[in-house]
Amino acid sequence: MASAAATNWHKPVSLVPILSWSTASSIFTEGVMSGAIPWKLLQQQYFSDNSYEDELSKLIQSPEKNRVNAAFQLGQNFSRNYPSSVIKMEELQSQFLKPEEGVGRLHVTAAAAGRVQSQSPPAASFHSTSVGRVLSSTVTVPLREDQQREVLDFMRGIMDECTHLGNFSVPVDPGLVIIVVGKSDAYVPRDSVLSLTELWPGAEVRYIDSGHISAFLFKQSEFRKAIIDAFQKQTMRYYS
């Protein structure tokens, strides 16, 4: 949120994004948080109504498209790691669905959907009539791997549309930006998406030897130092 706010300010501003990156899409499709997404429910809703593919997909703008040629679809970079990531999602999703409700297959009853629906992201509720129709019955449909990838890419596209900093203006002076990230951050994967230094040339990235949670617990001094240094940069450039 701080990064998005800084892109809308018309003057040079010091900015220190802490344990974040260029988009939230990798967080919810690759990172630890991907296990909290009801993927089976999303698959069921997506293929229940052609509007998702025929209309909404065409409206999505993702800066990630610029990284590859036109033959690649949205989220293709992440799809290279698709099999292992989906296996991980299936394991984590078993916490939300009973075995008889279809882990490994699309088999969501109205009762199960009601239990999982509260965990659905905003992207899953674009078409209320479709959702109501899908959740009102029991459907068992095996999905091909390419269909599962399509849903995954759609989810990533929705997240990029709403959160990718490539869709926002570049800060007036990216040189005042100091980004602090954890080398072992499993919540915010960075390798498969555009880096902030690509989007904001001149920004500095500081890597700390920690994960996401451990950084908050034990690396507060690194955060404070980055904030102090960012303000000192601004002072030296504009007020000295």
Side-chain angles (χ1 to χ4, degrees), residues 34-40 86-104 115-116 119:
S34 65
I37 303 297
W39 294 103
K40 290 292 189 293
V86 169
I87 291 173
K88 179 181 177 182
M89 292 172 194
E90 293 283 357
E91 292 173 350
L92 293 173
Q93 190 180 3
S94 64
Q95 302 173 34
F96 303 104
L97 293 178
K98 295 180 180 179
E100 65 269 23
E101 289 168 347
V103 175
R115 183 169 61 256
V116 180
Q119 301 159 7

Side-chain angles (χ1 to χ4, degrees), residues 26-47:
S26 60
I27 297 174
F28 293 98
T29 59
E30 296 180 58
V32 173
M33 293 301 294
S34 65
I37 303 297
W39 294 103
K40 290 292 189 293
L41 181 59
L42 289 180
Q43 291 169 359
Q44 188 177 16
Q45 291 179 229
Y46 181 83
F47 290 108

Side-chain angles (χ1 to χ4, degrees), residues 100-163:
E100 65 269 23
E101 289 168 347
V103 175
R105 293 203 309 168
L106 178 59
H107 183 190
V108 181
T109 64
R115 183 169 61 256
V116 180
Q117 189 177 16
S118 61
Q119 301 159 7
S120 301
S125 59
F126 277 122
H127 201 295
S128 59
T129 57
S130 171
V131 174
R133 184 172 64 255
V134 170
L135 300 185
S136 64
S137 61
T138 299
V139 181
T140 302
V141 182
L143 290 179
R144 301 190 310 271
E145 182 175 318
D146 61 322
Q147 290 179 312
Q148 294 176 340
R149 184 183 296 112
E150 186 176 348
V151 174
L152 196 64
D153 289 346
F154 181 77
M155 177 65 175
R156 179 167 179 164
I158 290 293
M159 296 302 298
D160 278 346
E161 171 71 21
C162 300
T163 69

Side-chain angles (χ1 to χ4, degrees), residues 168-216:
F168 295 80
S169 301
V170 177
V172 174
D173 186 354
L176 300 180
V177 179
I178 300 178
I179 308 141
V180 183
V181 299
K183 291 181 180 179
S184 305
D185 194 333
Y187 281 82
V188 187
R190 301 183 301 275
D191 294 341
S192 64
V193 295
L194 285 165
S195 71
L196 274 178
T197 53
E198 290 180 84
L199 297 175
W200 298 344
E204 176 187 352
V205 180
R206 295 184 181 180
Y207 297 92
I208 55 179
D209 190 15
S210 69
H212 196 84
I213 303 301
S214 59
F216 274 109

